[in-house]
Amino acid sequence: MIAHVAIDIERMPRGGPGASRLDRWLETDRLEYIDRADVERRKRAAIRSLDRMGRLFGFHNTIARVVLDEIPAVPAPRILELGAGHGGLSRTLLAMHANAQLTITDIDTSLVASIGAGDLGSHPRATVCAMDATAIDLPDDSYDLAVFSLSLHHLPPTAASKVFAEGTRVARKLVIVDLPRAAPPLHLVRLALVMPWMMFPWSHDGVISSLRSYSPSALLALAQHADPGIDVSLRGGRVFHSSRRPLPQIAVAAAKPGRLRSAW
């Protein structure tokens, strides 16, 4: 954990408090199709592409294993998924753990309605509802684990910090999985390769996601701003077990022993 110092979190760059000038330049406030309400067709296409790639490349399985490895001793874990989107991770978690109880949420009511109308809406171990990850209307310690997967970069720093506060309040552990922020020279190379494909929804959103992703130092600053009583463990960018697939960036957050909830 970094030392507790005053940080202007609202203006903090995605590369963290010490981001270079180039890293600060490689940032945007532009919205992805997924975040917009005025391009419904492209939005749906982008969401379908995310789910398709998650299944094709095994991302759902990798992230689900990351989540379950954080609660190996809990026989019937209570899991809260924030920002569930298409529900691909939820389905994988339910399939991989026979006793897991999931609450599947998203702030987008149209996505919640779509999930609820499908197989997850009738699953005996799943509850589907609308919920804001920055203002969770649930009591303290309601869950063993909360997970926010591939969604933190959609939020500006002030809101992203609230996810750390709320997630560690309602759950004993919060697992945030997101895109790693590339070093600026590598980031420029990747952008040059992908930009010609920007007419496709998946590429359009992928480029913007890369420009909005948070660095490790930024994640630590977000958690510190939320509450110095939050411990954060960072990892990612390595292969995971025997799958030989690279991990996304992972932050595992939990309240330090003795933290006062009333301080929030």
Side-chain angles (χ1 to χ4, degrees):
M1 194 71 177
I2 58 179
H4 183 43
V5 295
I7 297 172
D8 185 355
I9 206 70
E10 186 175 356
R11 294 178 175 82
M12 184 190 74
R14 301 290 176 124
S20 67
R21 184 174 298 179
L22 178 56
D23 200 357
R24 291 166 187 257
W25 181 72
L26 291 168
E27 187 173 320
T28 185
D29 290 328
R30 184 174 178 178
L31 296 179
E32 300 175 37
Y33 288 139
I34 289 175
D35 299 317
R36 294 169 57 181
D38 60 330
V39 285
E40 189 63 24
R41 183 177 178 182
R42 289 178 180 269
K43 176 177 180 176
R44 294 292 174 179
I47 292 171
R48 287 194 301 270
S49 294
L50 283 175
D51 187 26
R52 190 179 304 115
M53 287 189 291
R55 289 183 278 107
L56 180 63
F57 295 105
F59 297 148
H60 295 338
N61 286 342
T62 297
I63 296 171
R65 182 51 56 198
V66 167
V67 169
L68 295 177
D69 277 1
E70 291 298 326
I71 44 175
V74 182
R78 300 161 299 162
I79 300 174
L80 170 65
E81 184 179 4
L82 302 164
H86 45 66
L89 176 59
S90 301
R91 292 185 183 88
T92 307
L93 285 167
L94 289 166
M96 292 179 69
H97 198 302
N99 298 316
Q101 301 284 335
L102 259 68
T103 300
I104 305 163
T105 74
D106 200 282
I107 194 172
D108 188 325
T109 54
S110 66
L111 292 177
V112 171
S114 179
I115 294 173
D119 57 315
L120 291 173
S122 59
H123 198 288
R125 291 185 284 116
T127 301
V128 182
C129 60
M131 192 172 293
D132 183 350
T134 70
I136 302 173
D137 187 17
L138 292 169
D140 296 353
D141 295 323
S142 298
Y143 293 88
D144 298 297
L145 184 143
V147 56
F148 197 47
S149 177
L150 303 179
S151 297
L152 193 73
H153 65 274
H154 292 280
L155 302 178
T158 302
S161 182
K162 291 178 181 178
V163 174
F164 278 94
E166 286 289 272
T168 56
R169 178 185 65 80
V170 300
R172 296 176 182 175
K173 280 187 178 181
L174 167 67
V175 176
I176 291 178
V177 183
D178 212 350
L179 303 173
R181 187 169 185 84
L186 177 59
H187 202 165
L188 287 171
V189 173
R190 289 179 176 175
L191 289 175
L193 293 173
V194 177
M195 288 292 282
W197 305 93
M198 282 286 282
M199 75 286 292
F200 297 106
W202 58 267
S203 182
H204 173 276
D205 278 14
V207 167
I208 295 176
S209 293
S210 73
L211 295 170
R212 301 194 71 181
S213 60
Y214 288 103
S215 71
S217 65
L219 293 175
L220 292 174
L222 292 172
Q224 179 196 46
H225 180 265
D227 190 334
I230 297 174
D231 263 333
V232 180
S233 173
L234 298 178
R235 57 185 180 274
R238 301 185 298 273
V239 295
F240 183 68
H241 292 310
S242 59
S243 68
R244 311 309 295 176
R245 295 189 183 96
L247 278 173
Q249 182 162 248
I250 300 163
V252 180
K256 294 179 181 178
R259 183 192 61 179
L260 296 177
R261 305 279 189 176
S262 59
W264 295 5

